[in-house]
Amino acid sequence: MEFINLLLPIFAIILTGFAVAHFKLLPESLGDVLIQFAFNIGLPALLFLVIAQESASRLLNGAFFASYGGGNFFFFGAVLAFALWWRKKSLGDGTILALLAACSNTAFVALPVLKAVFGHKAVLPAAIASVIMMTMVLIAVVLIERSRPAGPSGRASLWPHIRKVLLNPLILAPFLGVAYALIGWPLPVIAVNFLTLLGDSVTPCALFAVGMSIKLQSIKDRAGAILLLSGLKLIIIPAVVLVLAQLFQLDPFFSVAAVISAAVPTAKTVFVLAAKYDHSKELAAETVSTGTLLSTLTLFLWLLVLSHFYPSAFLSN
């Protein structure tokens, strides 16, 4: 019962956001404002705070990288290969399909859910997972840029796109946190309190914004492709990550964090890229929305499954 009491408020916040948007109780733009606040201020503050206070040995968790990163990148490559050679898609469209299958919304779904269930200690694996996902996005940007026809003066430089990803607050904050952790200085109490106040806003803001983003009308003519990609993202990939976590003997808490980080819906970043480069943008929008809706059920089920696989991770909370 205590476990259920932890989970229900998480999904209650998501459903509240959905209800507010559905009945137009607040401006529709509020969801985007909350996301911008969490993306640029709340999440970077929380990521820096947690990582800056960690030891290098905990940051370099090889088993977590192998389980979570290995599982997600395998499916990114597999879907890309399937799209290119079996479905005869362009490199740009194939890359977007691969991202839809494998790029997790770790920052706005996995981190708030894990933090709500496990507290502050859950931020570290979610931060590592976010860096892995942004690495995938960086690779995808390079592939999409290379798929575009060269202009009169040749191909545009990739550096502006790479620089934009590297300066992303969700990438920059963890790297700055790692640098500070390596120095070994304790964070001043004032800084800890300031960053804690900002970081504590992430869970309600992000979950509420996720609820506002759910669109019931998302499944249309592309229902087959949407459900296939969503099933791969929400069920198959986390199941493979769970197997890899056991194979690499990842400790129970990090195993739970790896699976949940893999089981969250596709990141909105994928839709942004699809719209920017005009590759499968309708499919991207509908898959992100549908996956977000379905994940309110599948995440609940995954947490229940994981509580049976790794009861010690939940009991130690």
Side-chain angles (χ1 to χ4, degrees):
M1 182 58 69
E2 183 178 353
F3 177 63
I4 300 298
N5 289 337
L6 281 171
L7 293 184
L8 288 183
I10 297 170
F11 297 103
I13 294 175
I14 295 175
L15 291 175
T16 301
F18 169 75
V20 165
H22 182 74
F23 293 107
K24 303 186 186 310
L25 300 178
L26 291 172
E28 189 175 341
S29 60
L30 176 61
D32 291 333
V33 173
L34 289 174
I35 288 175
Q36 288 299 316
F37 170 78
F39 183 88
N40 291 296
I41 300 174
L43 274 168
L46 182 60
L47 294 174
F48 177 83
L49 173 66
V50 171
I51 293 176
Q53 299 179 98
E54 287 289 346
S55 64
S57 60
R58 277 176 58 80
L59 294 174
L60 301 175
N61 190 324
F64 185 88
F65 279 97
S67 303
Y68 178 74
N72 281 278
F73 270 99
F74 171 80
F75 279 97
F76 176 83
V79 173
L80 178 59
F82 175 80
L84 294 179
W85 287 293
W86 186 263
R87 300 295 295 175
K88 305 301 181 184
K89 298 285 186 180
S90 68
L91 179 58
D93 285 330
T95 301
I96 293 298
L97 287 174
L99 284 176
L100 287 173
C103 188
S104 295
N105 196 343
T106 50
F108 290 101
V109 183
L111 191 152
V113 168
L114 288 169
K115 187 171 182 287
V117 175
F118 296 104
H120 217 58
K121 66 179 183 178
V123 176
L124 177 61
I128 297 172
S130 295
V131 172
I132 293 171
M133 286 298 99
M134 292 308 294
T135 302
M136 182 181 291
V137 170
L138 179 59
I139 293 171
V141 167
V142 172
L143 291 174
I144 294 172
E145 281 291 328
R146 286 306 181 197
S147 74
R148 303 175 75 189
S153 58
R155 293 188 186 275
S157 171
L158 283 174
W159 173 240
H161 305 282
I162 295 174
R163 182 177 60 187
K164 186 175 181 180
V165 174
L166 292 177
L167 293 179
N168 183 308
L170 298 185
I171 287 290
L172 197 56
F175 279 125
L176 291 176
V178 170
Y180 196 92
L182 292 175
I183 293 174
W185 295 342
L187 280 172
V189 175
I190 293 176
V192 171
N193 292 339
F194 169 68
L195 294 171
T196 298
L197 285 172
L198 287 176
D200 286 344
S201 68
V202 168
T203 296
C205 284
L207 294 177
F208 193 88
V210 165
M212 291 192 73
S213 72
I214 294 174
K215 308 296 181 186
L216 290 178
Q217 67 271 26
S218 293
I219 301 179
K220 299 176 182 178
D221 297 335
R222 304 175 184 85
I226 293 170
L227 292 176
L228 179 62
L229 288 167
S230 297
L232 188 62
K233 180 72 199 70
L234 302 176
I235 299 172
I236 303 300
I237 294 179
V240 170
V241 170
L242 176 58
V243 172
L244 290 174
Q246 294 181 324
L247 180 65
F248 290 109
Q249 299 181 333
L250 187 60
D251 74 73
F253 171 66
F254 272 85
S255 295
V256 172
V259 174
I260 293 302
S261 295
V264 296
T266 303
K268 278 192 171 183
T269 305
V270 181
F271 168 69
V272 173
L273 285 177
K276 174 180 173 60
Y277 291 106
D278 196 22
H279 288 297
S280 305
K281 60 183 178 181
E282 293 85 4
L283 177 62
E286 292 163 5
T287 301
V288 170
S289 295
T290 303
T292 302
L293 175 62
L294 294 176
S295 70
T296 59
L297 172 62
T298 56
L299 271 176
F300 185 84
L301 295 176
W302 269 116
L303 284 165
L304 287 175
V305 168
L306 291 167
S307 69
H308 289 286
F309 267 91
Y310 302 106
S312 63
F314 291 84
L315 291 175
S316 64
N317 179 36

